[in-house]
Amino acid sequence: MSGVRRVAKRKLPSFHKRKIKVVDAYCGIGGLSHGLVLEGFNVVAGIDSDASCKTAFEANNDAIFISKDIARFTARELNELFGDATIRVLVGCAPCQPYSTLTRRKLSEKEKRERWYPLYRFMRLVRATKPEVVSMENVPDLSNTDKYPVFADFVRALKKAGYHVAYETVDASRYGVPQRRNRLVLLASKLGEIKLIPYTHDDATLVTVRDTIESLPRLKDGGVDKNDPMHRASKLSELNKRRIAATPKNGGSAKSWGPDLKPKCYRRESGRSYMVTVYGRMRWDDPAPTMTTQCTTLGTGRFGHPTQNRAISLREAARFQTFPDSYIFGDPADVGITHTARHIGNAVPVMLGRAIGRSIKRHVRPYM
């Protein structure tokens, strides 16, 4: 795209110069890769079937983007990317939508198995290339093997191939991510026992909404900061303007609304519980809720600004995902709210990527 600049190469730590190479499957716009890059890893490539992620991934990570379905990506191609690396690291976050509770309720058993293919494809690449280290990140529910036998199959295949495997559900806020985001993180190594580093933040040091976005300029509903195209908010309908104005500041919810403001589907008693989780405002002194692909839409979660009568902006969402303000999401003249929010919400938070990177770095040092 015209107008898109590439981030200047950083002076990276000596760890980057050693013969360790990383390939990121299902890379999206590069949240996980960027965390690894900031930890000094040599990320050589990202693979994703969504070609719209190419600009952001390549502009920020000094790596190539391969637009291809993992199902059609071969072991030979992956080995060529790793080249002469002495330690090969394959990371990935298979699309999590197939494992969400709502999605699972709507699908037949046959459809569920078809949706599980991304993780089976990732498993196929691991078995065919046997990289020294593997990491996978996904939704916590995936570890429920009664619901998702695909995860049990994945772990079993890793162990059969000689990997030491560790996995746990972590709260990303405990690694400095300013949002409550529980994720399943798996680490596997052919070199020896491997595990995630301990949490870096406790209740007293969690990064809050205030810490993250209070410094940004005020915005009106549907407004954009003239100095930052990413600091733009979705335009609300007249009804939603009335709703956010009627929502108490700093953590208020739709429970305070009169019947005229409530969506019809929530007017029944059975819908009252949902009124706490949608159309709400964030709290200044707590971490934000989990960023989703619709995190800039008022009615899809607690995505209302704590005090301003609007939904959060793209810049605010990016900060909650710990992308640096220097991260390039596309041509500044053509930043679209819907697709950029999808890219941001789908990403692994950069700070969680750094925690995974530090865990791998600590693990591999004795073998280098």
Side-chain angles (χ1 to χ4, degrees):
M1 290 183 184
S2 60
V4 175
R5 58 183 174 81
R6 183 177 288 273
V7 172
K9 289 188 177 181
R10 303 170 182 83
K11 184 177 181 181
L12 294 167
S14 59
F15 185 79
H16 182 273
K17 299 176 183 177
R18 301 175 185 178
K19 285 194 174 180
I20 178 169
K21 293 181 180 179
V22 181
V23 175
D24 186 353
Y26 304 107
C27 64
I29 59 170
L32 175 56
S33 281
H34 201 62
L36 296 174
V37 167
L38 292 176
E39 287 300 318
F41 283 88
N42 181 13
V43 178
V44 294
I47 309 161
D48 203 292
S49 59
D50 185 354
S52 67
C53 296
K54 176 181 173 69
T55 297
F57 183 86
E58 291 192 339
N60 298 282
N61 295 298
D62 196 27
I64 63 170
F65 178 91
I66 300 169
S67 180
K68 197 167 187 177
D69 189 330
I70 289 292
R72 295 182 173 85
F73 200 77
T74 67
R76 179 178 178 179
E77 289 174 298
L78 183 56
N79 282 328
E80 286 177 353
L81 290 174
F82 282 131
D84 62 352
T86 54
I87 293 181
R88 301 162 299 157
V89 180
L90 179 64
V91 300
C93 176
C96 61
Q97 287 83 356
Y99 312 115
S100 73
T101 302
L102 290 176
T103 300
R104 181 165 40 79
R105 287 175 182 165
K106 296 175 183 177
L107 298 177
S108 68
E109 289 301 317
K110 180 181 178 182
E111 288 171 325
K112 289 175 193 174
R113 290 191 174 277
E114 290 174 350
R115 292 291 187 95
W116 294 344
Y117 285 169
L119 191 52
Y120 280 122
R121 292 162 182 166
F122 188 63
M123 181 172 68
R124 175 184 59 81
L125 273 181
V126 172
R127 286 192 300 197
T129 59
K130 295 181 174 58
E132 282 68 35
V133 177
V134 174
S135 180
M136 188 274 294
E137 185 259 16
N138 218 295
V139 294
D141 206 32
L142 181 59
S143 64
N144 186 331
T145 53
D146 290 335
K147 296 178 183 177
Y148 303 112
V150 58
F151 185 71
D153 291 344
F154 184 56
V155 172
R156 191 179 304 114
L158 286 170
K159 290 181 177 178
K160 187 175 180 180
Y163 285 91
H164 299 265
V165 181
Y167 60 89
E168 61 181 301
T169 294
V170 300
D171 178 356
S173 71
R174 302 291 174 163
Y175 287 116
V177 178
Q179 62 173 296
R180 302 286 187 184
R181 191 182 187 95
N182 293 324
R183 301 297 285 181
L184 172 68
V185 178
L186 176 145
L187 291 169
S189 174
K190 295 182 75 68
L191 303 174
E193 298 289 339
I194 185 171
K195 62 181 179 180
L196 271 171
I197 61 170
Y199 282 153
T200 57
H201 291 62
D202 58 21
D203 288 343
T205 58
L206 294 180
V207 186
T208 67
V209 171
R210 187 188 303 276
D211 297 330
T212 308
I213 67 170
E214 188 180 33
S215 63
L216 289 168
R218 291 185 62 85
L219 280 183
K220 294 182 179 179
D221 157 56
V224 57
D225 180 1
K226 64 180 181 180
N227 297 315
D228 180 5
M230 282 289 291
H231 191 33
R232 65 172 61 210
S234 300
K235 185 171 180 58
L236 301 180
S237 67
E238 291 303 315
L239 178 57
N240 279 343
K241 288 179 183 178
R242 291 168 53 207
R243 286 168 169 162
I244 190 68
T247 304
K249 294 180 178 180
N250 194 24
S253 74
K255 289 180 69 175
S256 62
W257 296 351
D260 60 316
L261 294 180
K262 294 180 180 179
K264 290 182 180 179
C265 57
Y266 296 145
R267 289 177 187 173
R268 298 185 300 274
E269 185 65 27
S270 59
R272 286 181 61 82
S273 62
Y274 289 100
M275 300 307 291
V276 179
T277 58
V278 298
Y279 292 101
R281 291 185 186 268
M282 296 179 183
R283 292 184 183 276
W284 274 128
D285 296 318
D286 289 337
T290 301
M291 295 295 104
T292 70
T293 57
Q294 299 182 69
C295 55
T296 56
T297 303
L298 184 64
T300 59
R302 296 184 66 88
F303 299 133
H305 190 279
T307 55
Q308 298 172 37
N309 289 339
R310 60 174 176 83
I312 61 170
S313 72
L314 287 173
R315 172 62 65 210
E316 289 162 338
R319 284 192 176 187
F320 289 132
Q321 285 283 64
T322 56
F323 284 102
D325 285 356
S326 59
Y327 208 83
I328 297 166
F329 293 90
D331 189 331
D334 188 31
V335 174
I337 286 186
T338 300
H339 79 266
T340 306
R342 175 172 60 84
H343 285 165
I344 292 170
N346 272 333
V348 176
V350 174
M351 285 300 293
L352 181 56
R354 295 195 73 162
I356 292 170
R358 287 198 291 272
S359 303
I360 296 172
K361 190 160 55 175
R362 182 183 65 176
H363 169 71
V364 301
R365 272 199 173 112
Y367 305 99
M368 299 184 69

